[in-house]
Amino acid sequence: MEASMKDGFGLKYLYRFFNVPFLELQRQTLLAQLRRNEEDLEAIKVELDLHSKSEEQDYDKFKEYLERKRKGLPTTGSNDVSELQDGTAMSLRSRLSQKVLQSTPLPAKLNPTG
């Protein structure tokens, strides 16, 4: 490779040459983000599927709860909206949070100062 500071010969090639490590780092980062995005998308699909089958999404039970509340009747624990938490969805959330913590870290940023 030939370059001249006097007349700028070869500077374009030099700029492109020094750009290669940055582009490689950017590529690795984007691929890691894409993998993380795919994992998050799959986890959300599973969570939505579990949630759609839970009591939280049963409109008849919700209407019954509201009717009992309006009439001042005692509400049962299973129909209490504040207590309608699907255990499988909660355990899935905890597994997902652990998976995010264990996921592959993004490549370190280049630090020109050392």
Side-chain angles (χ1 to χ4, degrees):
M1 172 179 86
E2 292 185 32
S4 171
M5 296 296 282
K6 183 177 180 181
D7 56 12
F9 175 79
L11 285 181
K12 187 174 185 178
Y13 179 83
L14 191 60
Y15 289 144
R16 293 191 190 284
F17 177 77
F18 286 133
N19 200 24
V20 170
F22 168 75
L23 292 174
E24 278 295 321
L25 179 64
Q26 186 181 41
R27 180 178 178 274
Q28 291 172 3
T29 302
L30 291 172
L31 288 173
Q33 289 175 345
L34 184 59
R35 280 191 302 272
R36 185 172 294 146
N37 179 276
E38 288 173 356
E39 291 170 1
D40 290 346
L41 182 61
E42 287 302 314
I44 291 296
K45 286 180 181 178
V46 169
E47 188 172 344
L48 286 173
D49 187 45
L50 289 173
H51 186 72
S52 69
K53 296 174 184 173
S54 72
E55 289 182 351
E56 287 181 13
Q57 291 300 110
D58 190 345
Y59 186 61
D60 292 328
K61 288 185 179 184
F62 179 72
K63 286 192 315 186
E64 181 183 318
Y65 165 76
L66 289 179
E67 187 67 26
R68 287 179 166 272
K69 186 176 177 183
R70 186 180 64 80
K71 290 181 179 179
L73 298 173
T75 58
T76 60
S78 64
N79 288 335
D80 189 355
V81 175
S82 64
E83 295 180 16
L84 290 177
Q85 291 295 328
D86 187 10
T88 55
M90 296 303 287
S91 65
L92 177 65
R93 285 189 193 110
S94 65
R95 286 190 312 231
L96 291 176
S97 63
Q98 289 174 358
K99 188 174 184 178
V100 168
L101 293 175
Q102 295 171 351
S103 65
T104 306
L106 297 176
K109 293 182 179 179
L110 295 176
N111 188 354
T113 60

